[in-house]
Amino acid sequence: MRVHVVYAHPHEGSFTAALRDAAVATLRRHGHEVDLLDLYAEGFSPELTRDERAHHLDPVETKPALVPFAERLRNADALVLVYPTWWGGQPAILKGWFDRVWGEGVAFTLPEGKDRIEPLLTNLRRLVVVTTHGSSKWVNAVEGEPGKRIVGRSLRVLCHRRARFRWIALYGADRSTEEQRRAFVARVERRLARL
Amino acid sequence: MNVLVVHAHPDPASFNHTLFETAVTALRAGGHTVETIDLYAEGFSAVMTAAERKAYHSPAPILDPQVARHAQLVRWANALVFVYPTWWAGLPAILKGWLDRVLVAGVAFDFHPRTHKVRPALRNARLILGISTYGSPRWFGFAMADAGRRTLLRALWLCCPRRTRRRWIAMHGIDGTSEAERTAFLHKVDRELRAL
């Protein structure tokens, strides 16, 4: 499969960077073609602009800054997101990638005369999240897992009808031991081996 | 009360911006002391930098003077009011980034020195109030899970004293609303915030 890996962490020496490397290496080892997008390294600007807001229903082709990101998304069979969970959800740089790139004409379309949007990213058959939570699973359950819901529900309905959503998460990362982190890397490798 | 109103919409001519102005006027009319942060107008950067990430677990996690000023306003406020459009069921990135960068240890929470568990630190907060517009009709909003509301009324609320109240004022299906419906919603916001 062609796998688009989208990675968001500001610090190259982080545990999340190690998870990215493990994910990419595992996918390649199993014969997948990986297209890695490092949002921080690209200097991606997550704030939807006034102009984009005013023209949010225009085709993406009229927004040159977004075209390459849209093309990479359209060319993938699977999407793997690797990020730390902050405030229950994606870091702003990744949330902004949803806001700006997953727009009309890329992720969905609103056909003339209809009041329901139709999905356009039917090329995506797998949607995988690899993430770490500083806080415990219990705290995240109370918070209602906003980040999980955005990907598993809001984004998933815009993919292939039978697209599979996989959630690979380490809870309590702030207080985790070296051993727990190693075990989590192994879990990421095991699960991505069976993409 | 001391009220901090945080607003996130790129277009000052938008309905959402009118909601923001209506909310501020109504709060002042109700006798509250109001401070505002208009994130787009201030050119706030949503992206937590590598230096900030490295300082996150240190005793001095705030490096940017603009972030320091916002953090001071958060500590001062008895009510936190958010006015924004819901995008992809969640907060616009600029507002999510504001949480990421401003609500750090020493502002919204503390790390316990020994166990490293997070403890609430928004001691002045008595109310969290969200005013949001949704593009999708209500049923679709439910399917989309309302993640932004959960972020503010649950995750952020966990950093407040337990008696802190929560209010949500939402307008669904904004794309298909009439002028009259929008005006009625503005009146509702005005009425509710005056009576706060």
Side-chain angles (χ1 to χ4, degrees), chain A residues 9-11 40 46-50 53 86-87 89-93 95-96 98-99 102 108 116-117 139 141-144 146 149-150 153-155 158 174-175, chain B residues 9-12 40 44-48 50 53-54 57 87-89 91-93 96-97 99-100 103 111 115 117 139 143-145 147 150-151 154-155 158-159:
Chain A
H9 197 290
H11 177 32
Y40 269 94
E47 303 92 356
L48 186 86
T49 65
R50 185 178 178 182
R53 178 62 210 167
W86 295 341
W87 282 104
Q90 290 78 24
I93 202 169
K95 179 56 175 53
F98 302 158
D99 291 350
W102 287 63
F108 64 88
R116 263 192 78 170
I117 58 174
V139 168
V142 173
E143 292 176 356
R149 285 170 176 257
I150 287 178
R153 300 196 187 185
S154 306
L155 300 192
L158 305 173
D174 279 354
R175 299 185 298 142
Chain B
H9 196 291
D11 186 358
Y40 272 98
F44 185 80
S45 167
V47 179
M48 183 189 279
R53 179 59 209 168
K54 280 180 203 163
H57 289 270
W87 291 342
W88 287 119
L91 310 174
K96 178 57 175 51
L99 298 184
D100 293 347
L103 300 185
F111 289 113
T115 64
K117 268 193 181 171
W139 63 267
M144 306 267 274
R150 283 166 183 254
T151 306
R154 296 197 195 185
L158 286 180
C159 295

Side-chain angles (χ1 to χ4, degrees), chain A residues 34 49 109 115 118 120 123 127 132 149 165-166 172 191:
Chain A
V34 176
T49 65
T109 182
D115 59 357
E118 282 177 13
L120 286 182
N123 51 301
L127 200 49
T132 61
R149 285 170 176 257
F165 171 57
R166 283 189 183 155
R191 295 200 62 184

Side-chain angles (χ1 to χ4, degrees), chain B residues 119-173:
Chain B
R119 296 177 304 180
L122 286 172
R123 291 175 197 92
N124 287 333
R126 284 185 260 151
L127 170 73
I128 301 176
L129 190 152
I131 302 170
S132 193
T133 52
Y134 297 68
S136 54
R138 184 182 272 265
W139 63 267
F140 197 53
F142 270 114
M144 306 267 274
D146 226 354
R149 178 180 179 164
R150 283 166 183 254
T151 306
L152 296 175
L153 298 195
R154 296 197 195 185
L156 185 57
W157 180 75
L158 286 180
C159 295
C160 299
R162 214 172 276 180
R163 61 179 187 284
T164 300
R165 287 183 301 136
R166 297 176 279 186
R167 288 276 288 281
W168 197 254
I169 309 176
M171 184 171 202
H172 294 270

Side-chain angles (χ1 to χ4, degrees), chain B:
Chain B
M1 282 199 290
N2 295 338
V3 185
L4 174 61
V5 185
V6 183
H7 172 56
H9 196 291
D11 186 358
S14 64
F15 177 65
N16 206 276
H17 192 80
T18 308
L19 281 173
F20 164 61
E21 287 174 341
T22 303
V24 171
T25 307
L27 286 163
R28 290 202 171 120
H32 301 291
T33 310
V34 181
E35 290 282 350
T36 62
I37 297 175
D38 181 340
L39 291 167
Y40 272 98
E42 283 201 19
F44 185 80
S45 167
V47 179
M48 183 189 279
T49 65
E52 284 174 334
R53 179 59 209 168
K54 280 180 203 163
Y56 195 80
H57 289 270
S58 81
I62 294 177
L63 309 176
D64 178 328
Q66 185 188 32
V67 171
R69 186 168 59 78
H70 291 185
Q72 209 44 51
L73 289 173
V74 171
R75 291 192 192 98
W76 162 86
N78 305 120
L80 297 168
V81 177
F82 299 91
V83 186
Y84 69 92
T86 292
W87 291 342
W88 287 119
L91 310 174
I94 200 169
L95 180 53
K96 178 57 175 51
W98 186 79
L99 298 184
D100 293 347
R101 296 183 65 214
V102 178
L103 300 185
V104 296
V107 182
F109 58 88
D110 289 308
F111 289 113
H112 188 281
R114 196 166 34 78
T115 64
H116 218 64
K117 268 193 181 171
V118 167
R119 296 177 304 180
L122 286 172
R123 291 175 197 92
N124 287 333
R126 284 185 260 151
L127 170 73
I128 301 176
L129 190 152
I131 302 170
S132 193
T133 52
Y134 297 68
S136 54
R138 184 182 272 265
W139 63 267
F140 197 53
F142 270 114
M144 306 267 274
D146 226 354
R149 178 180 179 164
R150 283 166 183 254
T151 306
L152 296 175
L153 298 195
R154 296 197 195 185
L156 185 57
W157 180 75
L158 286 180
C159 295
C160 299
R162 214 172 276 180
R163 61 179 187 284
T164 300
R165 287 183 301 136
R166 297 176 279 186
R167 288 276 288 281
W168 197 254
I169 309 176
M171 184 171 202
H172 294 270
I174 182 92
D175 295 338
T177 52
S178 65
E179 193 61 46
E181 285 170 306
R182 288 174 186 228
T183 308
F185 188 68
L186 283 172
H187 285 314
K188 179 182 173 179
V189 168
D190 179 64
R191 205 169 52 240
E192 297 211 12
L193 270 71
R194 250 171 224 273
L196 213 61

Side-chain angles (χ1 to χ4, degrees), chain A residues 67-87:
Chain A
V67 170
F69 296 104
E71 280 308 311
R72 292 167 82 170
L73 194 52
R74 283 170 173 159
N75 284 333
D77 306 306
L79 177 66
V80 177
L81 305 173
V82 185
Y83 63 89
T85 291
W86 295 341
W87 282 104

